[in-house]
Amino acid sequence: MNAAHLKTIEQRLLWLSHWMIHNANHLREKVDGIKIGGHQASSASMVSIMTALYFSALRPEDRVAVKPHAGPVFHAMHYLMGNLDLERMKNFRGFGGVQSYPSRTKDADDVDFSTGSVGLGVAITSFASLVQDYIAGKPWGADAPRGRMVALMGDAEVDEGNVHECLQEGWKHDLRNVWWVIDYNRQSLDGVVREGLWSRIERLFDAFGWDVVKIKYGILQRAAFAEPGGERLRQWIDDCPNQLYAALTFSGGAVWRQRLLDDLGDQSAVSALIGRRDDRQLAALMENLGGNCVQSMAEAFAAVDHDRPVCFLAYTVKGWGTPIAGHKDNHGGLMTKAQMAAWQQHMQVPEGREWEPMAAVPDPDALRAFLARVPFFAAGPRRLDDKRIAVPPLPAPKADRETSTQAAFGRILDDLARGDSPLAERIVTMSPDVTGTTGLGAWVNRRKLWAREARADLFRAQNIPSTAKWDFAPEGQHIELGIAEMNLFLQLGAAGLSHRLFGKRLLPIGTVYDPFVCRGLDALNYACYQDSRFLIAGTPSGVTLAPEGGAHQSISTPLIGLAQDGLAAFEPAFAEELAIIMHWAFDYMQRDGDARVDPRTWLRDASGGAVYLRLTTRPVEQASLPQERLTQGVIDGGYWLRPPGPNCDVVIAYQGAVAPEAIAAAGLIGQGRRDVGVLAVTSADRLNAGWTAAQRARWHGEAAARSQVECLLAPLPRHCRIVTVIDGHPATLSWLGSVAGHCCIPLGVEHFGQTGTIGDLYAHFGIDTASIVRAVSGLTAGRGLIAE
């Protein structure tokens, strides 16, 4: 550790991060007339921590989730290292510039984990560490680099529920190689953190087996404590309320002196200690908390010589080193132009050289030589990759005349588990305490559960019959999680980045009860935002899960699949469709091409993404599907199960489990109408995305651009009515009428369900065969047949 160089880097990062924010808010041309922001105070409180971490403690194999509001320090660091250009720095929070919060997909510098959704960037580091251990236990993963997964977090983030859920899951899996560094500045957006929070934090981490390292005092304070009267000063600091400490910090040295003398002035030793320092020195002493002392932080990091998880509780001053330090409004506050001008003089940055990385550096050559030797940056960008895994054919599973998509999903995985293909080798499954009820039982029985150490199934050891074989071993390929859906999606998100983080590709598959996708929606969105690759099966779904009642029945999840970026959503009705989709999904999860659209479908398939399957437990009679262009139709989102004739005046378009009702209704309607068509929609998401993309292409001059849904609906006469049916919100398919100007009659579920039979609930919500027929008869012209 070179303390002098670290101090110089710290001051450079402090200046560059704050100048970047100042430029964006006060110097760059205003366009929208609104504050741009940038969190100067939150960046300042992290600058010493990040300097010590990146320039002293880390190695290239380590991965870091940076506190969102410290993003400017992160970008300033890469700018100092020459990894980020000036134009992006000047365009902070502008289009094409560095992002507000570190982003894997939007930023040009080396971001390990996207952050911004508070708390999630913290928790994913623990799940990334589990993925690292999972890979290390496999023959093909033994050579993967192993590093520490580090989260830089604010003290207010400890309030986040997913942080607590994550701690419990980590304890269950014997978590290793994780550091969480808490910026304990005791100020949040709305106020000052409650007194005594540190002791609760300490107990929390201790309960789950973490080491807690408290870094409260900097080297100036520790030196002062060794002087006569120093212990009395230490006691005063320990007893001082958070709010008062912040207020005194903002007020400066003279006010510090008055308050300390008022409280301690009659004690000669401590009075002399205070008197030996002028106002500037006294303020520097009182603000020299451990987290704002780069040397203290470097020493704390260097002292850890084990792989147990560690929480560093680093006491800091919010806004440290700036004119707004300690003020209760500084979270979103900014230095004024006058404050910045005075501070620029204080930082000894010459006017006109504000953007120069080495401005105000006494010996630039020596600093450059030091930076060139910093281990973390020595390897260059750390975006790893792994070869794509070949995907063998996945034939539809052998089944009875009737089967459910959930059962078909389980059989497809069971068939893979029986073999030794490279694809099966890289699949890892996970579920939040619903493994057996979501179709993963057979896979787990054959491939075992993962654990760092082998554990036998004691029920089997005692010869107790059971359909589940719960053997744990390092070679296992299923990660069993507790009943916390946020943990599931964070684990999927981490596993879906394994090829980038560890250079070893995984094909993660998660299962969850479909309504509880909503419980983990924030983490699902977060995983997609950073381009993680995984497959999630939501099953059982809809009111089709009839006896379970409203608490277990999903309504809005098809709309989530339709709207979520980075996620291709499907809802097949038949096993043959599902096999086609899963084959495509395993390949799609591995794609890493450009973002240009495919001129055939107008979808951005080359860039790949995650996949969502909405499945059900309802056994459905397996229809004879038209084989011509079936595979492409299923993948593109829809195909004609029953093509419309030339005089078609009614089309029934369905998605998912209501296929039997739609098919039966078409048969009944066909007794009184000619040329009725049945449109099998396997993915409203894919159809809609292709349609909107083709429209954009036409706006930009591609006059011939036509999407899959436009091609499907093109033969229909303008007077044709489209009746859409789904066990989910009817808006999922109601947009079909807008494609070519057809009248649309959307049927679906808009309200909470209840217990009953499938027939009861379908009739109640108007998605049974009779309701479809009535909708056609009552809302369209022509002769119909009322089904009883």
Side-chain angles (χ1 to χ4, degrees):
M1 178 181 69
N2 188 311
H5 284 320
L6 291 181
K7 187 66 179 175
T8 301
I9 294 168
E10 171 198 67
Q11 293 302 296
R12 287 281 72 219
L13 298 185
L14 182 63
W15 167 260
L16 288 168
S17 60
H18 282 62
W19 181 253
M20 177 173 64
I21 298 168
H22 182 77
N23 176 73
N25 286 274
H26 294 304
L27 304 181
R28 201 168 70 202
E29 181 184 0
K30 287 284 195 300
V31 177
D32 298 322
I34 60 173
K35 171 186 168 183
I36 294 174
H39 300 285
Q40 286 179 333
S42 292
S43 294
S45 68
M46 282 294 300
V47 70
S48 306
I49 294 170
M50 292 179 67
T51 300
L53 185 69
Y54 280 95
F55 294 90
S56 178
L58 294 181
R59 298 298 178 266
E61 59 269 23
D62 299 327
R63 299 288 177 170
V64 187
V66 176
K67 186 177 102 167
H69 295 161
V73 179
F74 177 82
H75 297 309
M77 176 179 69
H78 280 281
Y79 178 65
L80 181 66
M81 294 301 301
N83 300 331
L84 196 63
D85 61 84
L86 177 58
E87 288 309 306
R88 283 191 173 89
M89 290 284 285
K90 287 184 174 179
N91 202 20
F92 171 63
R93 290 198 170 195
F95 188 74
V98 294
Q99 298 297 297
S100 307
Y101 311 124
S103 169
R104 285 184 55 84
T105 57
K106 308 297 183 184
D107 275 316
D109 37 4
D110 200 12
V111 178
D112 291 321
F113 301 101
S114 299
T115 51
S117 186
V118 178
L120 296 178
V122 175
I124 198 170
T125 57
S126 288
F127 292 106
S129 181
L130 295 182
V131 171
Q132 181 175 243
D133 285 346
Y134 175 92
I135 291 171
K138 307 297 183 287
W140 47 265
D143 61 338
R146 301 189 72 180
R148 285 193 171 103
M149 304 296 113
V150 182
L152 304 175
M153 60 190 292
D155 45 15
E157 288 181 84
V158 182
D159 292 348
E160 291 281 350
N162 68 83
V163 170
H164 296 250
E165 292 175 344
C166 163
L167 286 173
Q168 181 165 313
E169 201 64 61
W171 172 79
K172 285 162 51 181
H173 288 95
D174 194 18
L175 183 67
R176 290 290 185 268
N177 290 309
V178 175
W179 286 3
W180 287 2
V181 187
I182 299 178
D183 171 16
Y184 192 51
N185 61 41
R186 291 145 296 149
Q187 288 183 257
S188 60
L189 179 60
D190 288 339
V192 178
V193 168
R194 291 290 182 91
E195 300 298 325
L197 177 63
W198 68 268
S199 63
R200 301 314 193 263
I201 292 174
E202 200 165 10
R203 287 182 222 159
L204 172 69
F205 283 90
D206 182 67
F208 289 110
W210 288 54
D211 286 4
V212 179
V213 177
K214 189 161 57 174
I215 310 124
K216 187 169 186 178
Y217 315 111
I219 56 172
L220 295 180
Q221 289 187 346
R222 296 201 301 273
F225 298 157
E227 298 177 23
E231 281 302 317
R232 189 70 185 90
L233 178 64
R234 185 209 296 263
Q235 189 63 51
W236 186 93
I237 291 173
D238 289 348
D239 293 342
C240 184
N242 293 334
Q243 195 165 181
L244 176 59
Y245 210 94
L248 292 171
T249 296
F250 177 74
S251 300
V255 177
W256 270 119
R257 184 180 305 279
Q258 185 62 52
R259 182 60 188 237
L260 289 171
L261 289 175
D262 285 348
D263 290 353
L264 304 172
D266 290 340
Q267 303 174 44
S268 58
V270 71
S271 297
L273 185 156
I274 296 167
R276 284 192 291 273
R277 292 159 173 85
D278 62 24
D279 288 349
R280 182 188 61 81
Q281 292 170 327
L282 184 60
L285 170 65
M286 299 307 291
E287 294 168 25
N288 181 237
L289 298 176
N292 295 133
C293 177
V294 68
Q295 184 173 335
S296 296
M297 289 307 307
E299 290 170 354
F301 292 143
V304 178
D305 59 358
H306 56 78
D307 66 353
R308 295 189 303 276
V310 182
C311 170
F312 297 91
L313 188 64
Y315 280 71
T316 62
V317 170
K318 194 164 187 173
W320 173 82
T322 75
I324 58 176
H327 196 286
K328 71 173 184 176
D329 298 332
N330 67 11
H331 182 88
L334 297 166
M335 281 189 273
T336 64
K337 289 184 177 181
Q339 286 175 320
M340 176 57 77
W343 191 59
Q344 183 170 354
Q345 288 187 335
H346 169 74
M347 296 293 284
Q348 299 180 351
V349 176
E351 190 172 344
R353 298 182 59 193
E354 292 87 354
W355 290 107
E356 288 187 23
M358 294 294 161
V361 175
D363 188 346
D365 289 339
L367 183 59
R368 289 190 189 98
F370 175 80
L371 295 177
R373 298 191 303 270
V374 173
F376 181 77
F377 299 99
R382 298 161 308 114
R383 292 292 178 95
L384 307 178
D385 205 353
D386 193 18
K387 63 183 184 299
R388 286 172 65 166
I389 308 300
V391 182
L394 299 179
K398 295 178 181 178
D400 298 330
R401 183 181 175 188
E402 292 186 345
T403 192
S404 68
T405 48
Q406 177 181 303
F409 170 75
R411 289 194 186 106
I412 290 171
L413 287 179
D414 188 29
D415 287 344
L416 282 169
R418 293 170 186 265
D420 58 357
S421 67
L423 174 66
E425 184 179 60
R426 296 300 182 97
I427 290 174
V428 54
T429 61
M430 53 199 72
S431 189
D433 200 36
V434 290
T435 298
T437 52
T438 54
L440 291 180
W443 166 268
V444 174
N445 284 347
R446 296 187 191 280
R447 292 284 174 157
K448 300 183 180 180
L449 294 100
W450 173 77
R452 286 165 55 92
E453 304 292 339
R455 298 199 305 273
D457 183 341
L458 295 182
F459 276 80
R460 293 180 64 206
Q462 295 296 318
N463 296 317
I464 299 174
S466 172
T467 57
K469 301 175 183 177
W470 288 82
D471 291 319
F472 291 83
E475 67 269 19
Q477 289 182 246
H478 176 76
I479 300 175
E480 180 62 14
L481 302 169
I483 189 163
E485 286 74 16
M486 290 288 281
N487 284 345
L488 168 70
F489 286 111
L490 286 166
Q491 184 72 80
L492 281 171
L497 292 173
S498 64
H499 59 300
R500 295 301 192 201
L501 298 176
F502 311 117
K504 300 294 182 181
R505 188 181 299 279
L506 291 174
L507 295 169
I509 299 175
T511 62
V512 63
Y513 282 8
D514 192 62
F516 304 147
V517 166
C518 299
R519 286 186 183 170
L521 186 55
D522 194 14
L524 170 61
N525 178 67
Y526 172 67
C528 292
Y529 176 63
Q530 54 188 337
D531 196 26
S532 180
R533 306 303 180 85
F534 54 87
L535 186 153
I536 176 67
T539 181
S541 62
V543 297
T544 303
L545 188 62
E548 291 287 337
H552 281 70
Q553 295 164 356
S554 56
I555 300 169
S556 63
T557 50
L559 294 176
I560 292 171
L562 188 68
Q564 179 61 58
D565 189 20
L567 186 72
F570 293 85
E571 187 173 1
F574 304 113
E576 187 174 356
E577 295 172 340
L578 178 62
I580 292 170
I581 292 166
M582 288 183 68
H583 182 273
W584 175 87
F586 286 131
D587 179 71
Y588 182 71
M589 289 158 61
Q590 302 181 68
R591 296 180 191 174
D592 193 26
D594 57 45
R596 289 179 298 177
V597 297
D598 182 337
R600 187 190 58 78
T601 63
W602 301 100
L603 294 166
R604 295 182 177 183
D605 280 358
S607 57
V611 179
Y612 167 35
L613 304 178
R614 190 173 189 251
L615 307 177
T616 181
T617 54
R618 180 195 185 189
V620 170
E621 183 177 352
Q622 298 301 288
S624 177
L625 306 183
Q627 294 303 302
E628 185 179 358
R629 295 182 56 80
L630 174 67
T631 296
Q632 201 58 56
V634 168
I635 297 308
D636 290 345
Y639 62 94
W640 287 113
L641 183 66
R642 175 174 170 173
N647 298 308
C648 179
D649 62 356
V650 175
V651 162
I652 300 175
Y654 72 87
Q655 179 170 291
V658 293
E661 284 66 32
I663 294 168
L668 290 170
I669 294 167
Q671 297 177 30
R673 297 173 186 262
R674 298 190 309 170
D675 298 342
V676 174
V678 178
L679 180 63
V681 177
T682 54
S683 174
D685 174 36
R686 301 269 294 172
L687 286 182
N688 184 268
W691 175 48
T692 55
Q695 290 182 88
R696 284 193 296 270
R698 292 196 290 271
W699 298 339
H700 291 90
E702 296 276 356
R706 291 294 182 274
S707 65
Q708 170 77 350
V709 70
E710 289 171 311
C711 294
L712 288 168
L713 301 184
L716 300 180
R718 285 295 297 271
H719 68 271
C720 182
R721 300 312 199 251
I722 302 176
V723 180
T724 63
V725 191
I726 184 173
D727 180 6
H729 199 283
T732 310
L733 295 175
S734 64
W735 58 272
L736 287 174
S738 298
V739 174
H742 294 103
C743 177
C744 184
I745 303 168
L747 305 179
V749 180
E750 297 177 82
H751 305 290
F752 294 118
Q754 56 188 294
T755 54
T757 66
I758 293 175
D760 292 336
L761 295 182
Y762 277 20
H764 176 74
F765 288 106
I767 58 174
D768 63 329
T769 299
S771 297
I772 297 170
V773 173
R774 277 195 294 269
V776 172
S777 301
L779 297 174
T780 68
R783 189 164 62 90
L785 178 68
I786 302 298
E788 297 299 333

